[in-house]
Amino acid sequence: MRHKQTVLIIDYGSQYTQLIARRIREQSVYSEILPHSVKTDEIIQRSPTAVVLSGGPDSVYAEGAPVLDSAIMEMGIPVLGICYGFGLLMTYDGGVVKANGQREYGFAELSVENGSKLFSGVTDKTQVWMSHGDAVDELPENWSVLARSGNGVLAAAERDGGVVLGTQFHPEVIHTTEGKQILSNFLFNVAGCKKDWTPASFVTSTVEELRDTLGDKRVLCAVSGGVDSAVMAKLIYEAIGDQLRCIFVDHGLLRKNEPDYIQERLKESLGFPIEYHNFSDDFLSKLNGVTDPEEKRSIIGEQFIRSFESAALTGGDFKFLAQGTLYPDVIESGGVWGTADVIKSHHNVGGLPEDIGFKLIEPLRELFKDEVREVGKELGLPPDVLGRHPFPGPGLGVRIIGEITEERVEILQEADHIFIEALKVHGIYDEIWQAFAVLVPVKTVGVMGDERTYANLIALRAVTSVDGMTADWYRMPENVLSEVSNKIVNSVAGVNRVVYDVSSKPPSTIEWE
Ligand code: XMP
C-alpha cells in the first residue's frame, strides 16, 4: 500500500521490535519494520519521515555485531535510537559504550535533567523499563544529556539540533509509565508526523489500490468464518463489487455448526453471496494415517489450493486469489527477516504449494490483528462477527493430536461446542483471546455407574493475549470449569476425563500442534 508517511523501524533483534511498531501505529502513524541487514536502497525507497533503531541482544562493540547504515544518518531525518540503537548512535558520533558493571533489568526511576522536546509533558521523576548490560561511558561532543536513571546511568541524550535522540530505556514497554508520551513527543514534536494512519484512511487507500491492480479482473476469495477473511472479503467487495467471488471450503475439520454460521449469519453481515463447497472427503482421505503436525499442515495447505482451483473451474476465469495474511504471519514465517525460525508453518504464508495457479493478493498484509478488527468496524461489520476467537486454517486438524478420523472429529466437535457455549453463557467469551478443546491421544480409566470405562481425554485451553505472539492461560472461574467438565463427560460418548491447560506462551504455544 502507498503511505503518505512512514516511520521505519530498523530491527537489531530486540524482543520488543513489534511492540515499537504497534505503539507508533496506535498513535495513528504508519510504521514498518525492516531487518538491520536490509539494503540501503530499500530504506531510501520508502523515504521515511523518521527512523527508530530498535534494541538488540548484542553489544555494539562486540565483533560482528550489527552496524548502523550511514545512509540513515545522511538522510538528515529524525532518528530515535533505543537501547542498542542508542549505542549505535553513540559509536557513530565518536562516543564510547561499555559494559560498566551497572547492568539494569527491570524498573528504574528516571530523572529528567533537561526539558527537551522528547520529555515535554513528562514528570521529572518517572518510571522506565531498562534491559541492558552496557551503558554510555563517554558522550560524543555534540550531544547533551537529557535524563539519568537512579544509579546515574545516562538514560537519554540528544545530538545538537534535537532531531537525533537516544534512550537507554524502552519507551515502547508498558512498564515505562510515560512511554506513550515520550514516543508521541518523538513522533509529533520532533518528527512532525501527522496522524494519517487510521482505519478510514486504510480503507480508502486500499480500495483505490485494489481497483488499480485488479481493473476488471475477477478475484476468488475464500472465507473461513474468521475475522480476517471476513474483513478481507468485505474490503475487496468495496473495491470491485461483483467481480469478487466468495467461496467457503468445508475441509471437514470445522467447529460444530460452522457451515450454518457462515451460510447464514456471515452471509447476512457481509451482504453478498458465499458459495459452499464441501471437500471434506478429499481432505480427510489425504490425512488418513498422518500424525505429524507439519505434515498435516502441508497436506491441508495443498488441499486448500486444489479445492480453490477446482472451485475456480466453474464460473469464469480467475487470475487472483485473495489471502488473509497478516503482518505477524509475514514476520513469524520469516518473510521479513528471511532467517527467523519457522515454529509452525502457518498455511496462509509458509505452507502453500509452489505450483499455485493464481496470483496472490494479500490486502491485510500490513495489519496487526487488532487493526483488522478496527478496519472491519469501519466497514460496518457487526461486533459478533469481529469478536470471534481466531481459528487456525488447519482447524481441528491440529487439535486432534495424532490420527484424524471422522469419529475423533465428532468427539472433538461436541466437546468443543459445550466449552465455547458455556463461555458465552457465562459472559466471559470476550475476555478470552482464544479458547478451544483438544483431543489428546491418550485413553484413561474411569468409572461410570458401576462400569469401568477406558476412554478419551479432552484438554481445555483458554488464553489471554494481545496478538497471539505471547499468551497467558486464562484464570477460568471454577464453576465454569466444573460445569463444562461434567457436561462433556456426561454427554460426549467416548470421553471420561477433562483437564485444563495452565501453560503460557512462551514456552508453550497456543495450539497443541
Ligand atoms: P501458536 O500455536 O503458534 O498460535 O501459539 C498462534 C496463533 O496462530 C494460530 N495458528 C494458526 N493459524 N494456520 C493458521 O491459520 C496454522 O497452521 C496455525 N497454527 C496456529 C493459533 O490458533 C493462534 O491464534
Side-chain angles (χ1 to χ4, degrees):
M1 197 181 111
R2 311 166 202 117
H3 297 283
K4 287 193 209 104
Q5 55 171 11
T6 299
V7 171
L8 269 193
I9 300 164
I10 308 293
D11 181 36
Y12 295 95
S14 164
Q15 56 178 324
Y16 302 130
T17 303
Q18 278 201 48
L19 210 51
I20 306 175
R22 298 173 60 89
R23 294 284 174 261
I24 295 177
R25 289 174 180 212
E26 275 163 22
Q27 312 222 28
S28 307
V29 174
Y30 179 70
S31 73
E32 193 180 334
I33 304 171
L34 289 179
H36 64 78
S37 55
V38 69
K39 293 209 175 70
T40 307
D41 287 356
E42 295 224 19
I43 297 176
I44 294 172
Q45 237 173 45
R46 283 169 170 79
S47 45
T49 310
V51 171
V52 176
L53 310 173
S54 86
D58 296 285
S59 287
V60 278
Y61 49 80
E63 206 173 308
V67 292
L68 178 61
D69 186 334
S70 57
I72 295 174
M73 304 307 285
E74 284 154 17
M75 280 193 276
I77 55 173
V79 177
L80 173 67
I82 297 175
C83 202
Y84 185 85
F86 182 30
L88 285 176
L89 292 174
M90 292 291 92
T91 341
Y92 182 83
D93 271 356
V96 178
V97 175
K98 269 192 187 159
N100 66 353
Q102 290 181 303
R103 298 164 78 87
E104 283 182 304
Y105 294 96
F107 297 109
E109 191 186 60
L110 190 83
S111 302
V112 179
E113 295 189 356
N114 178 339
S116 79
K117 284 182 179 170
L118 191 67
F119 289 104
S120 157
V122 174
T123 34
D124 287 350
K125 298 247 184 264
T126 184
Q127 178 186 285
V128 296
W129 183 257
M130 292 281 197
S131 172
H132 66 100
D134 296 329
V136 177
D137 197 49
E138 261 176 53
L139 200 62
E141 269 180 20
N142 52 343
W143 282 69
S144 47
V145 179
L146 298 180
R148 289 185 192 275
S149 70
N151 57 3
V153 169
L154 200 159
E158 74 180 12
R159 193 201 244 184
D160 292 352
V163 292
V164 178
L165 307 106
T167 64
Q168 191 63 62
F169 63 89
H170 289 268
E172 71 277 22
V173 173
I174 196 122
H175 310 298
T176 297
T177 344
E178 294 178 86
K180 187 174 173 193
Q181 181 65 43
I182 295 168
L183 280 179
S184 153
N185 287 338
F186 174 69
L187 295 174
F188 305 111
N189 292 351
V190 176
C193 292
K194 289 188 196 70
K195 289 180 177 268
D196 65 2
W197 172 252
T198 61
S201 70
F202 175 83
V203 170
T204 313
S205 48
T206 309
V207 162
E208 249 172 51
E209 194 163 323
L210 284 169
R211 280 185 190 144
D212 285 356
T213 316
L214 301 170
D216 59 359
K217 305 271 184 333
R218 300 186 69 199
V219 175
L220 192 65
C221 172
V223 294
S224 64
V227 179
D228 306 343
S229 58
V231 171
M232 178 178 68
K234 187 80 179 165
L235 193 57
I236 301 173
Y237 188 76
E238 287 288 313
I240 59 166
D242 292 340
Q243 285 162 241
L244 171 72
R245 180 175 170 213
C246 221
I247 62 167
F248 157 50
V249 167
D250 186 344
H251 55 14
L253 298 162
L254 296 167
R255 285 195 145 125
K256 188 176 171 175
N257 300 338
E258 195 64 6
D260 295 341
Y261 163 81
I262 291 172
Q263 286 166 287
E264 290 160 21
R265 178 71 186 134
L266 185 62
K267 197 182 219 169
E268 179 200 346
S269 310
L270 287 175
F272 49 83
I274 303 172
E275 285 171 30
Y276 176 64
H277 293 260
N278 190 348
F279 285 99
S280 11
D281 288 346
D282 296 351
F283 279 84
L284 294 181
S285 69
K286 286 270 170 10
L287 287 166
N288 190 13
V290 177
T291 55
D292 177 74
E294 284 302 278
E295 203 181 332
K296 284 180 184 174
R297 278 194 172 79
S298 109
I299 291 173
I300 295 170
E302 157 116 35
Q303 237 6 74
F304 262 125
I305 289 294
R306 301 301 158 234
S307 310
F308 302 153
E309 283 168 352
S310 155
L313 286 177
T314 58
D317 186 21
F318 292 93
K319 290 268 179 306
F320 291 93
L321 176 71
Q323 277 254 118
T325 312
L326 302 191
Y327 201 36
D329 300 329
V330 175
I331 295 168
E332 266 206 3
S333 297
V336 170
W337 275 253
T339 52
D341 271 354
V342 175
I343 313 280
K344 295 178 187 181
S345 55
H346 291 193
H347 83 265
N348 50 10
V349 179
L352 288 179
E354 277 173 14
D355 58 329
I356 300 176
F358 301 101
K359 253 187 172 162
L360 290 181
I361 54 164
E362 299 174 310
L364 308 181
R365 204 181 158 81
E366 294 178 337
L367 302 187
F368 287 107
K369 187 95 185 173
D370 44 347
E371 293 176 322
V372 176
R373 289 197 164 114
E374 290 298 314
V375 167
K377 212 156 117 190
E378 179 68 30
L379 290 164
L381 293 178
D384 62 307
V385 168
L386 294 177
R388 299 190 108 211
H389 290 174
F391 186 70
L396 303 185
V398 288
R399 294 178 180 172
I400 295 172
I401 314 300
E403 211 177 324
I404 301 168
T405 62
E406 267 180 58
E407 189 204 349
R408 301 190 80 219
V409 171
E410 238 172 79
I411 292 176
L412 185 58
Q413 278 176 335
E414 292 303 324
D416 181 77
H417 182 67
I418 291 170
F419 184 34
I420 300 301
E421 285 308 297
L423 301 180
K424 289 182 181 162
V425 169
H426 287 275
I428 53 177
Y429 182 86
D430 291 334
E431 284 175 23
I432 297 168
W433 156 269
Q434 199 172 10
F436 52 90
V438 180
L439 181 58
V440 188
V442 163
K443 288 202 169 181
T444 75
V445 175
V447 54
M448 279 192 188
D450 291 331
E451 257 178 61
R452 175 190 187 273
T453 59
Y454 186 55
N456 288 290
L457 172 66
I458 285 285
L460 304 177
R461 178 98 165 119
V463 295
T464 53
S465 176
V466 179
D467 51 14
M469 307 287 281
T470 59
D472 194 10
W473 60 278
Y474 177 70
R475 274 40 175 190
M476 181 81 61
E478 234 174 79
N479 61 319
V480 182
L481 279 176
S482 150
E483 179 189 311
V484 171
S485 160
N486 280 336
K487 235 181 185 169
I488 291 177
V489 172
N490 288 327
S491 62
V492 183
V495 176
N496 68 353
R497 192 179 296 268
V498 174
V499 295
Y500 187 57
D501 182 347
V502 291
S503 332
S504 298
K505 172 183 179 176
S508 302
T509 52
I510 296 177
E511 302 290 344
W512 277 37
E513 283 200 334

